[in-house]
Every structure is written in C-alpha cells, then in structure tokens.
Amino acid sequence: MSPLADLLNLDLSDTKKIIAEYIWIGGSGMDIRSKGRTLPGPVSDPTKLPKWNYDGSSTNQAAGDDSEVILYPQAIFKDPFRKGNNILVMCDAYTPAGDPIPTNNRNKAVKIFDHANVKAEEPWFGIEQEYTLLKKDVKWPLGWPLGGFPGPQGPYYCSVGADKAFGRDIVDAHYKACLYAGLNIGGANAEVMPGQWEFQISPIVGIGAGDQLWVARYILERITEICGVIVSFDPKPIEGDWNGAAAHTNFSTKSMRKDGGLDLINKAIEKLEVKHKQHIAAYGEGNERRLTGKHETADINVFSWGVADRGASVRVGRDTEREGKGYFEDRRPSSNMDPYLVTSLIAETTILG
C-alpha cells in the first residue's frame, strides 16, 4: 500500500476516540454537506451527541451578519469509510433560538409522522432511487461515446456485460457500504438508460425513510468522489428518446396491509388525485422534463392510475390486486425529490385527508 493508504487505514481503536461525520442538507435542497468531529468514545444514541454549528451564509441558509446555524443530530449509522466505532450522523438545522430554518423539511415531516392517526397506521415506504453516472470532465454518461450516443434503449435494463452495464463497481461498492452502515437497502439494478442505475431503500416506517435515503445518497456521493465520477440526480439528464430518472415511492399503511386493504388503497388514490397539483409541486425540480407521458411516465398535468401500468401516475401491483391488500407505487416523484417532503405529504394526504 502507498503511504497515503497506510494512513487512511490507521487503526484508531487504541485512542478510544471516534470520528462522527455530521451530515446535513444545504440551501439548494439537494447539496449534501458534512464535516467531521472527534468524540471521546462510541455513541449509539443521537440524543447523546452534541449539537454543532456551521456557517449558513456559505450554504445559502443564513445571512452573513448572522450566519450561525445549529445542527441537531437525529440518526446514527456506522461509517463504512472510516469503519470501527466511527459513525455517520444525519442532522437537521435550526436557528440559535431553536427554530427550524426554512429549508428544514425534516422538522415539518416529523410533525406529520408524530400525529397519533399516522403513527397508528405505521406507514411503510419503499423508495426506488434512480441516478445517472457521469464522466467527471465532460459530464456525459458513463459508457457513452464521447460527444456521441450509444445504441437505443432496450438491452441496458438489468443488463450484464461490458457493452451494456457501465459503473457496476460503483454500484456494488455502494450496495455493500449501505449494508455495512445499517441501512435497509433492498436491492440495486441497472436502469433503462445506459449509465443509469437504481437502488431501493425499503421498507421503512415514517421519518426513517427520509433519513436513510439521504444517508444512502451521501454514501453514493462519497464513493463517486473516490472514483472521480459524478452522480447526477437530474430527472432528465439527457434530452430526447431516453428515460428520465425518478424516485418512485411505494407506500402502505397497516390497514392497507390487512385483508380488505385494496378498498383503502383505492380511496387513498382518490385522495391523491384531488391533491395532484400540490404533490407535483413538492415532487422535485425539473420534473416537468421527465413527466411527459412517454418513457414510462404519465403526463404531469393529468393524474391516472392503473394495475401494473408504468405509464400511470400511480401503479397498483398485480399481487396487491390478487390478494386484495398490499401497497401502491407513486411514480410521480423525481430522482431529486426531498424524501422528507414526499413521504410526509403522501402520509398526510392519504391518512389525514
């Protein structure tokens, strides 16, 4: 190993100290930020972690003359990069007076998930996060000819082979790192557009879905940083006859998972139709470029649903139809959506009405 690799792999167990990497979301709503802090020993309870601060004027979240923003630790995961007792800490952000800053969507989501009626229904979420791997210097998809295009879509979905699957080492590294971290990652696969991949976080109850998806995104950003590749969450990274990128969100409640739950699913879908515009507004920036009615999407202006229909706004699975209970898939959220917003809005609309 090189001297640098030797240092990166130093065993710090004799020091008894650990490194906690505090993670938060910046002002754009998609810029993941982090910084490390030394702690005297292992911690497994986020309430035992110290609050911390950062310069909000450098993240577009505070004015320069009053720039301090406070990080509140909310969830802890094992650190797959430093290993040992070192941890990743998902945080949200507050003013020094203790008020959530305007971009703190986690705090808004917690209020919905803490509602007695929502808690009683134990809402489960499964989020299918699609993303595109880009060459760093030219920002063109991995595996694509420089300045040109590959063959048309068809052979790339769930593909195997050097001429069809591009970036599998990154995908596998991310998969294993998420498992090590303790995330409930359900799987991963190559997507329809070459250079595009997907992982799933599922099933997770309530606010945990947002926490885990953000940490999974953080881990992916770190791995692509190491590899000198860019990960894009743009919902339509390449214009033309190419699939966009989504974050399809699967949802069920305790009542939907019981016998007769299909009737409740149908009623929930009716509620989603009434609030279609409100949901679209919260489902990601640039989503109108993806939701065109083509490439396995519904038109952004028209709500639709169907059984096994990937061209609908909401899809009900064949298994759910056959068993009369289960879950449904909201196919409208884009790859750059905020999972705190999307999950809490679905719960609010379908459970609280």
Side-chain angles (χ1 to χ4, degrees):
M1 279 191 286
S2 69
L4 179 59
D6 288 340
L7 290 170
L8 286 170
N9 288 289
L10 278 175
D11 183 0
L12 301 180
S13 57
D14 288 343
T15 69
K16 297 184 179 179
K17 295 181 179 180
I18 70 159
I19 302 172
E21 191 73 19
Y22 281 46
I23 303 166
W24 72 96
I25 304 158
S28 75
M30 272 304 293
D31 53 323
I32 304 173
R33 312 282 180 138
S34 78
K35 60 178 182 175
R37 176 169 185 156
T38 304
L39 299 176
V43 182
S44 58
D45 181 351
T47 65
K48 305 297 183 185
L49 288 168
K51 295 174 184 175
W52 206 6
N53 66 77
Y54 67 92
D55 171 16
S57 68
S58 295
T59 63
N60 198 30
Q61 292 173 297
D65 59 353
D66 188 12
S67 64
E68 195 165 285
V69 180
I70 313 301
L71 291 171
Y72 285 31
Q74 300 292 358
I76 292 175
F77 304 91
K78 293 172 64 179
D79 187 339
F81 303 101
R82 297 186 175 113
K83 304 183 180 69
N85 290 320
N86 302 300
I87 54 177
L88 303 177
V89 184
M90 191 65 212
C91 305
D92 60 353
Y94 297 78
T95 68
D99 299 317
I101 65 172
T103 55
N104 185 347
N105 292 322
R106 187 186 193 280
N107 181 269
K108 302 167 190 172
V110 165
K111 293 176 182 177
I112 294 170
F113 287 121
D114 279 350
H115 191 287
N117 292 351
V118 176
K119 291 178 98 172
E121 282 291 350
E122 295 179 11
W124 287 5
F125 295 94
I127 303 175
E128 305 170 24
Q129 176 67 72
E130 296 176 348
Y131 60 92
T132 308
L133 297 174
L134 306 177
K135 301 170 188 177
K136 181 180 176 183
D137 295 328
V138 294
K139 296 186 178 179
W140 198 239
L142 216 60
W144 289 40
L146 189 61
F149 297 88
Q153 295 180 156
Y156 310 108
Y157 173 67
C158 294
S159 61
V160 177
D163 60 339
K164 296 179 285 293
F166 312 110
R168 189 182 299 278
D169 52 348
I170 292 172
V171 175
D172 281 354
H174 177 255
Y175 200 155
K176 292 180 178 180
C178 286
L179 287 173
Y180 180 93
L183 301 179
N184 202 16
I185 183 169
N189 59 270
E191 263 304 331
V192 177
M193 190 182 86
Q196 198 170 80
W197 295 81
E198 173 190 297
F199 65 87
Q200 302 95 35
I201 292 290
S202 67
I204 306 174
V205 178
I207 197 67
D211 288 339
Q212 291 208 20
L213 186 68
W214 275 115
V215 172
R217 284 173 171 175
Y218 170 83
I219 291 172
L220 182 58
E221 291 271 17
R222 286 285 305 276
I223 291 172
T224 52
E225 172 190 324
I226 293 167
C227 296
V229 171
I230 294 173
V231 56
S232 170
F233 296 104
D234 190 291
K236 188 72 173 180
I238 303 295
E239 295 298 328
D241 196 18
W242 306 97
N243 272 37
H248 303 140
T249 302
N250 300 278
F251 174 73
S252 70
T253 63
K254 182 190 290 186
S255 299
M256 293 175 188
R257 297 187 291 269
K258 293 180 178 179
D259 290 342
L262 184 58
D263 287 339
L264 294 173
I265 289 172
N266 290 334
K267 290 176 182 177
I269 293 172
E270 290 174 3
K271 294 177 182 179
L272 289 174
E273 182 173 11
V274 172
K275 295 287 185 73
H276 178 62
K277 289 184 178 180
Q278 180 183 344
H279 280 251
I280 287 296
Y283 275 14
E285 186 176 350
N287 209 10
E288 71 282 353
R289 293 184 284 115
R290 179 182 73 92
L291 294 179
T292 61
K294 301 178 181 178
H295 307 108
E296 299 182 279
T297 72
D299 187 289
I300 194 170
N301 298 306
V302 181
F303 182 90
S304 61
W305 76 277
V307 176
D309 186 356
R310 283 179 163 78
S313 307
V314 171
R315 179 183 68 88
V316 174
R318 288 289 182 197
D319 287 346
T320 298
E321 180 190 45
R322 181 172 58 254
E323 296 174 11
K325 61 183 177 181
Y327 70 95
F328 65 83
E329 176 193 38
D330 192 337
R331 297 182 56 81
R332 296 170 296 172
S334 69
S335 52
N336 62 0
M337 62 81 156
D338 185 334
Y340 294 136
L341 279 178
V342 169
T343 57
S344 61
L345 188 56
I346 291 174
E348 182 180 38
T349 298
T350 61
I351 300 173
L352 301 180

